Amino acid sequence: PDAVLLAHNLFSHRGSFAEVAARLARRARVLNVDLRGHGDSRDAGEFTVADLAGDLAAVLAEAGADAAVIVGTSLGAAAAIELARARPALVRGLVLMAANPRPATFRDRLTFGTLAAIVRALNPGPLLPTLVAALHSTAAAPAIRAAAAEQIRAMNRRDVVRAVRAWVNRPALLGRLGPLSIPARVVAGGADSSCPRAACDALAAELGVASIEIASAGHTIQAERPAEVAALVEGLLAGP
């Protein structure tokens, strides 16, 4: 069967893709991972987006998959794009959700630097309402928002700081994706307060596709709208 590799966003974990994975399992081999510093991939040391891309390649190798459709959200999307740039033969297609191809701005660095400092001194607890609001729309089910809060609580302080640092130091992608000839879908959440729609549109234009908006979805699109996400992946698997 076709392989599909799922890569979540910052402050999330593979459980956010659980329903998407279950829907796709009917027609694909699904590989659902915890990125470094998240979920069960704790105490990973310092890492970069390039390291995450290498991890995705290692997962494919371990699974014996020659190539896969890579589905990534935000940080996971950045890793998916980096893998496609470095080793395009491994990537059959890309579904990029809440993906920002631009480097961190000064404001981003200030905001995330402050966040990291608070977490380093205390723990993520005081920031939970702010972080959950960044991850999910107000329309998200209470159970989804509660699961996000629980995941953030479970992260240790060092992992939070390292993950934030990896995100803030993400590579700039615009102007570097022209050579890619991989089928792609670029997806924006209509209620995403963390990734500007303009960023998704810029990425879509760079890849030569139209961006797709899922109305009322927040940043963690896979958790809020799994049916729509699974349908997009199935469409990509089916081909033109």
Side-chain angles (χ1 to χ4, degrees), residues 15 31 43 47 64 106 151 154 160 199:
L31 306 170
D43 299 314
F47 63 90
F106 175 78
Q151 158 59 22
V160 170

Side-chain angles (χ1 to χ4, degrees), residues 134-230:
L135 292 174
H136 290 293
S137 70
T138 56
I144 290 175
R145 296 172 69 87
E150 184 58 32
Q151 158 59 22
I152 295 167
R153 285 192 195 97
M155 293 179 73
N156 70 47
R157 285 181 283 183
R158 288 170 301 190
D159 283 338
V160 170
V161 172
R162 290 163 182 161
V164 165
R165 193 172 292 135
W167 174 241
V168 169
N169 292 319
R170 66 187 181 272
L173 297 172
L174 295 182
R176 302 170 65 195
L177 303 179
L180 288 181
S181 57
I182 297 169
R185 306 287 186 270
V186 177
V187 185
D192 185 352
S193 62
S194 297
C195 181
R197 174 62 190 269
C200 293
D201 290 344
L203 176 60
E206 182 86 359
L207 293 171
V209 299
S211 61
I212 300 164
E213 180 177 302
I214 297 182
S216 303
H219 193 63
T220 311
I221 301 172
Q222 69 272 16
E224 295 187 27
R225 306 295 282 274
E228 289 95 327
V229 172

Side-chain angles (χ1 to χ4, degrees), residues 22-240:
R23 289 173 178 270
L24 293 175
R26 295 173 293 196
R27 65 109 51 232
R29 183 184 182 192
V30 181
L31 306 170
N32 191 9
V33 301
D34 282 323
L35 299 180
R36 292 194 199 193
H38 299 77
D40 291 329
S41 299
R42 295 185 177 92
D43 299 314
E46 292 290 339
F47 63 90
T48 65
V49 168
D51 292 326
L52 297 180
D55 293 343
L56 298 183
V59 168
L60 293 177
E62 180 68 21
D66 294 330
V69 169
I70 316 295
V71 184
T73 305
S74 196
L75 179 61
I81 295 169
E82 193 68 20
L83 177 61
R85 291 182 63 250
R87 301 184 65 182
L90 293 179
V91 182
R92 181 183 167 190
L94 291 165
V95 177
L96 306 169
M97 301 186 290
N100 192 338
R102 298 183 173 119
T105 63
F106 175 78
R107 182 177 179 180
D108 291 336
R109 291 181 179 276
L110 184 61
T111 299
F112 281 104
T114 302
L115 183 155
I118 293 172
V119 169
R120 191 184 296 113
L122 301 170
N123 59 62
L127 297 169
L128 271 178
T130 299
L131 294 175
V132 171
L135 292 174
H136 290 293
S137 70
T138 56
I144 290 175
R145 296 172 69 87
E150 184 58 32
Q151 158 59 22
I152 295 167
R153 285 192 195 97
M155 293 179 73
N156 70 47
R157 285 181 283 183
R158 288 170 301 190
D159 283 338
V160 170
V161 172
R162 290 163 182 161
V164 165
R165 193 172 292 135
W167 174 241
V168 169
N169 292 319
R170 66 187 181 272
L173 297 172
L174 295 182
R176 302 170 65 195
L177 303 179
L180 288 181
S181 57
I182 297 169
R185 306 287 186 270
V186 177
V187 185
D192 185 352
S193 62
S194 297
C195 181
R197 174 62 190 269
C200 293
D201 290 344
L203 176 60
E206 182 86 359
L207 293 171
V209 299
S211 61
I212 300 164
E213 180 177 302
I214 297 182
S216 303
H219 193 63
T220 311
I221 301 172
Q222 69 272 16
E224 295 187 27
R225 306 295 282 274
E228 289 95 327
V229 172
L232 285 169
V233 178
E234 288 174 338
L236 196 57
L237 290 168

